[in-house]
Amino acid sequence: MRSIDVRGYLVRLGLAGISGPPSTELLFALHRAHVERVSYEALHAQLGDPASIDPAASIARITAGRGGYCYHLNGAFAVLLEHFGFPVVRHRAGVQPRFEDPPGVLGNHMALTVHCEGRDWLVDVGLGDGFHEPLPLRPGVYDQGPFSYALVRSDVVPNGWRFTHDRRGAFPRMDFAREPVTIDVFAEKHAWLSTSPESSFVRTCVALRRDVKGVDNLTGCVLRRVDAAGETVTQLLTESDWFAALADVFRLTLTDLAPDERRTLWTRVHAAHVRRETAPAT
């Protein structure tokens, strides 16, 4: 792996100058900053961009102002944690998109665990609207802000674990195996998720961001804010409003995109929104 810009990465996280040996305090600070300042987004799938999941490329992407989905975000974050001396394990995982879908290690997600100060932690900055701080890897229910999560032993993955999302989350569950893997095992699944017409990321444009009080979720042209007060829904039906929300809410100014790419992106997203709105009810 080529050299990485740790300083630029920390600047993006708003943590320039942070240092210290591995500790839960440092782990939590890095995790919180990451989910707040580096949005989960799969805009690459809308533009036909292969968006390498090589961790150095993902870090360069993040320092340039972009986000990514799980392979990018957790891949980059694992390297940053290792830079600080944390022992990180990468795990093959599966996000269950809907309750009617089968659970299991589907390979559509990479989870992380970290051993720190005598305890194992589930660490994940690539779950979109997932948890704000690491979760102790032991069975229990964990409240963070207005959301409640659960960890139990998986009933479909031997020796594995299951994360159950808050009832208002974007997905119901995530199972992961305990065996360590390297990021290259996800290359084939990444290619499918990024390019297949059947991929949800190709069909629908998404961006999500978690903060201490709630979640912002942009799906197509619909922006939702979910927090203790409930849910606020805003439709973004003009190009200027849509890009303004990406910049203001998700910190995605997209200065790396040429004008024609921005136009292509908006045209595709808006057309998909119109198709959904005018589709016959089933």
Side-chain angles (χ1 to χ4, degrees):
M1 185 177 68
R2 65 177 185 267
S3 61
I4 62 170
D5 180 8
V6 172
R7 182 182 180 280
Y9 199 166
L10 292 174
V11 167
R12 178 76 198 282
L13 298 185
L15 296 174
I18 196 170
S19 62
S23 66
T24 54
E25 181 181 6
L26 178 59
L27 178 64
F28 275 48
L30 291 168
H31 196 285
R32 287 191 299 262
H34 211 290
V35 296
E36 291 176 5
R37 300 176 69 93
V38 183
S39 291
Y40 180 100
E41 51 101 344
L43 303 183
H44 68 280
Q46 298 291 307
L47 292 169
D49 175 7
S52 171
I53 60 172
D54 172 75
S58 296
I59 290 172
R61 176 186 177 90
I62 289 169
T63 58
R66 288 290 297 274
Y69 61 11
C70 66
Y71 307 138
H72 303 113
L73 302 180
N74 282 338
F77 193 55
V79 171
L80 180 64
L81 293 176
E82 288 169 338
H83 168 79
F84 281 100
F86 289 98
V88 181
V89 181
R90 298 153 180 84
H91 304 274
R92 188 174 177 87
V95 167
Q96 183 183 0
R98 302 169 300 174
F99 277 111
E100 56 265 35
D101 296 322
V105 177
L106 313 173
N108 64 356
H109 187 69
M110 181 176 74
L112 306 175
T113 57
V114 171
H115 187 78
C116 183
E117 297 185 346
R119 179 178 293 180
D120 288 331
W121 298 89
L122 176 60
V123 174
D124 206 315
V125 297
L127 272 178
D129 65 346
F131 43 91
H132 187 237
E133 297 177 330
L135 299 178
L137 193 59
R138 64 187 183 202
V141 174
Y142 301 97
D143 295 329
Q144 292 187 2
F147 307 116
S148 183
Y149 313 111
L151 276 175
V152 297
R153 294 285 186 175
S154 174
D155 59 1
V156 296
V157 183
N159 198 39
W161 286 84
R162 171 171 294 162
F163 165 79
T164 299
H165 208 338
D166 186 88
R167 60 182 178 80
R168 293 168 292 175
F171 62 91
R173 297 184 289 193
M174 182 271 289
D175 288 82
F176 70 95
R178 283 293 274 156
E179 295 77 15
V181 297
T182 56
I183 196 166
D184 58 285
V185 306
F186 301 101
E188 183 176 350
K189 191 67 173 181
H190 166 62
W192 187 90
L193 290 171
S194 298
T195 62
S196 172
E198 300 302 313
S199 167
S200 62
F201 296 113
V202 174
R203 296 197 308 267
T204 305
C205 186
V206 295
L208 300 104
R209 189 188 69 88
R210 176 74 158 92
D211 60 41
V212 67
K213 294 183 178 180
V215 167
D216 298 300
N217 180 333
L218 177 62
T219 302
C221 293
V222 180
L223 175 64
R224 291 180 171 84
R225 172 69 183 180
V226 181
D227 54 27
E231 180 178 274
T232 303
V233 179
T234 306
Q235 294 208 34
L236 306 171
L237 301 181
T238 68
E239 183 175 359
S240 59
D241 285 347
W242 192 76
F243 280 109
L246 283 175
D248 297 341
V249 178
F250 299 95
R251 298 176 180 264
L252 296 169
T253 58
L254 304 183
T255 55
D256 58 315
L257 298 185
D260 61 325
E261 291 177 306
R262 292 171 68 93
R263 185 61 186 172
T264 296
L265 178 59
W266 165 248
T267 299
R268 178 166 185 166
V269 171
H270 186 254
H273 174 80
V274 171
R275 286 195 299 271
R276 284 191 295 272
E277 290 294 302
T278 57
T282 58

